[in-house]
Amino acid sequence: MNERYSLASKDPERIQRYQIIDDWIDQHFEEELAFLKALVKVPTDTPPGDNAPHAHQSAALLEAMGFHVELHPVDDTAVKAQGMKSITNLMLRRRYGDGLVIALNAHGDVVPPGEGWTYPPYGGEVHDGKLYGRAAAVNKSDFASYAFAIRALEACGAALHGTIELHLTYDEEFGGELGPGWLLSKGLTKPDYLIAAGFSYEVVTAHNGCLQLEVEVVGKMAHAAIPHTGIDALQAAVHILQALYRLNEDYKQICSKVPGIKHPYLNVGVIHGGTNTNVVPGKVSFKLDRRMIPEENPQAVEQAIRQTITEAASQCPGVELKVSRLLLAEAWKPQQGNEILVETIQDHAQSIFGTRPPARGTPLYTDVRLYGAQGIPAVIYGAGPRSVLESNAKRADEHIVLDDLLKATKVVARSLLDLMSQKKA
């Protein structure tokens, strides 16, 4: 950026407020850590997506800190139609007078822990300066960083303007439509700016989209001793899968111009089929994930994937095919209007961490696209390492480095001070 937009101040009084914030967070870090441990200990595996209990636990912990928390349960019919069991979204509003409305969003739902853990996935145990547990990094750490950033801000004694909203939602793994999408569609919020949960060493300003499909291949079961009397659904599925995986070579030639994002890619994450070892499989299903760069057209991508599947299946006589869309999450493209957020956070991160985090895109997809679709300038920034890989997110031994949690809380609190010191034009 050629022009400076940062609100970070060199005024001695503001600098003193920054120091008060930092000191308060240092003094209350054990409390912040206990808060995060309590959140990690309540599972939010999605699926099955029975996440209301965690919302009630989070609300109780926040209420104990003196916050008033709004509980917004989502209708059971809509939740079950999405393949989940329960969702209660939380909103916390702190109004300080006229001014900007700044929202902070983090999600509590997460994929199941899987196998291979060294430490209990719901233990919230601390070892060698790291807190281990499913969702410790993505995204319950920012339940803690954001809540304690608000508390530190209010403790610094500055005159504040506007409103801070904390949106704690529970539908990111299934697309976010019943999380932030639901809050926005119900008219419960329309902030001026958004900061959403992320990692400490970069300010994310764009992300990939995601298409997920389920493919069902139906043949005809037969005894393995007379396989010619059946139609092998697995053999047909393998032929389709080979055609799909070949696409990844073509995708390498489609490069994004957004820093941090490379090219599209396709992954098959789940396969089911067959009845027994000595039976020709009559039905096989699999689920695929196609990541879309911001420059791609989602509808065109889906049409092309479906065409590849259909053409491959047509070369397997006798099989029937069913293709269902599970998710279509559009990319969040680089947007105008978030420069103040980007550079204010960069300035404070440079001061706290000692290095200036780059502003760039990420190959993930997030709920931020739902805010972006409403024209709300946003960035992704929060507590975490330099990459998803380092945090073990969605893998065994997911963890948050305690020093990153501490420092990110300071960066967010300082940035909120700058934003909430401005009167809305």
Side-chain angles (χ1 to χ4, degrees):
M1 296 179 184
N2 295 324
E3 183 179 351
R4 292 288 293 171
Y5 292 90
S6 175
L7 294 174
S9 177
K10 295 182 180 179
D11 175 71
E13 182 179 348
R14 182 73 64 80
I15 292 173
Q16 184 180 17
R17 300 294 183 193
Y18 296 154
Q19 188 61 56
I20 293 171
I21 283 172
D22 293 350
D23 291 344
W24 189 96
I25 292 168
D26 286 335
Q27 294 162 10
H28 291 80
F29 187 64
E30 287 301 319
E31 185 182 348
E32 181 177 359
L33 186 56
F35 176 72
L36 178 54
K37 286 180 179 179
L39 297 179
V40 169
K41 289 179 179 180
V42 180
T44 48
D45 298 354
T46 304
D50 188 11
N51 293 329
H54 189 275
H56 286 276
Q57 164 81 342
S58 300
L61 292 170
L62 291 166
E63 294 272 6
M65 297 178 196
F67 290 129
H68 171 69
V69 182
E70 302 172 18
L71 284 78
H72 295 284
V74 180
D75 178 75
D76 284 347
T77 302
V79 173
K80 290 176 181 176
Q82 192 78 338
M84 301 173 71
K85 291 187 176 181
S86 69
I87 296 176
T88 296
N89 296 311
L90 305 180
M91 287 189 65
L92 183 158
R93 305 179 206 255
R94 304 296 281 182
R95 180 172 172 80
Y96 310 109
D98 294 334
L100 298 169
V101 178
I102 313 297
L104 306 167
N105 171 239
H107 70 89
D109 58 309
V110 71
V111 298
E115 300 177 351
W117 285 75
T118 305
Y119 307 105
Y122 304 114
E125 294 184 7
V126 174
H127 299 275
D128 299 323
K130 301 173 183 178
L131 187 149
Y132 287 84
R134 177 52 86 228
V138 182
N139 234 192
K140 292 176 183 177
S141 56
D142 282 324
F143 277 41
S145 68
Y146 291 169
F148 277 76
I150 295 171
R151 292 184 65 189
L153 170 69
E154 294 181 348
C156 80
L160 304 175
H161 307 278
T163 300
I164 295 176
E165 295 181 351
L166 181 55
H167 302 172
L168 303 178
T169 54
Y170 289 90
D171 183 34
E172 198 271 349
E173 296 296 341
F174 278 22
E177 295 293 346
L178 298 182
W182 188 87
L183 295 175
L184 291 163
S185 68
K186 297 294 183 182
L188 294 167
T189 182
K190 186 63 187 291
D192 294 295
Y193 293 104
L194 170 77
I195 301 172
F199 289 166
S200 307
Y201 296 87
E202 62 183 11
V203 182
V204 173
T205 55
H207 66 59
N208 273 350
C210 180
L211 169 68
Q212 294 180 351
L213 299 175
E214 181 172 24
V215 181
E216 186 176 273
V217 183
V218 179
K220 181 181 178 182
M221 287 193 299
H223 197 292
I226 47 173
H228 61 280
T229 63
I231 299 172
D232 193 331
L234 179 57
Q235 189 174 25
V238 168
H239 186 71
I240 296 169
L241 288 167
Q242 288 174 333
L244 288 170
Y245 276 119
R246 281 195 293 269
L247 294 175
N248 274 331
E249 291 303 312
D250 298 332
Y251 293 156
K252 291 178 182 178
Q253 310 307 314
I254 307 172
C255 297
S256 176
K257 295 181 180 179
V258 178
I261 296 177
K262 294 182 178 179
H263 54 75
Y265 51 93
L266 181 148
N267 177 69
V268 175
V270 177
I271 301 176
H272 295 291
T275 56
N276 203 12
T277 310
N278 61 350
V279 178
V280 172
K283 184 167 72 173
V284 172
S285 66
F286 60 87
K287 297 179 181 180
L288 67 87
D289 180 302
R290 165 62 156 85
R291 295 299 163 112
M292 300 175 288
I293 62 175
E295 292 87 346
E296 289 187 292
N297 180 293
Q299 288 72 34
V301 168
E302 181 170 2
Q303 183 179 359
I305 291 287
R306 286 177 177 269
Q307 183 176 346
T308 296
I309 293 169
T310 300
E311 289 178 355
S314 69
Q315 299 168 16
C316 304
V319 301
E320 297 178 5
L321 189 67
K322 180 182 179 182
V323 182
S324 305
R325 182 202 291 176
L326 302 175
L327 172 71
L328 181 59
E330 297 198 12
W332 175 42
K333 300 179 181 180
Q335 61 182 153
Q336 297 294 316
N338 65 356
E339 295 87 356
I340 288 176
L341 296 176
V342 172
E343 295 204 11
T344 300
I345 290 172
Q346 284 180 318
D347 284 352
H348 287 300
Q350 184 171 5
S351 176
I352 296 295
F353 283 88
T355 57
R356 189 173 186 83
R360 61 188 180 192
T362 179
L364 304 172
Y365 76 91
T366 79
D367 288 345
V368 178
R369 73 189 193 283
L370 300 168
Y371 293 91
Q374 298 291 323
I376 300 166
V379 296
I380 298 175
Y381 184 83
R386 289 172 177 80
S387 70
V388 175
L389 184 63
E390 287 183 32
S391 70
N392 281 350
K394 289 184 166 59
R395 302 192 302 162
D397 287 344
E398 180 179 350
H399 61 270
I400 181 73
V401 176
L402 300 187
D403 192 54
D404 290 341
L405 175 63
L406 175 70
K407 290 178 177 178
T409 305
K410 293 178 180 180
V411 172
V412 173
R414 284 175 167 220
S415 299
L416 289 176
L417 174 61
D418 295 333
L419 291 163
M420 304 312 293
S421 297
Q422 305 298 305
K423 292 187 177 180
K424 190 172 182 179

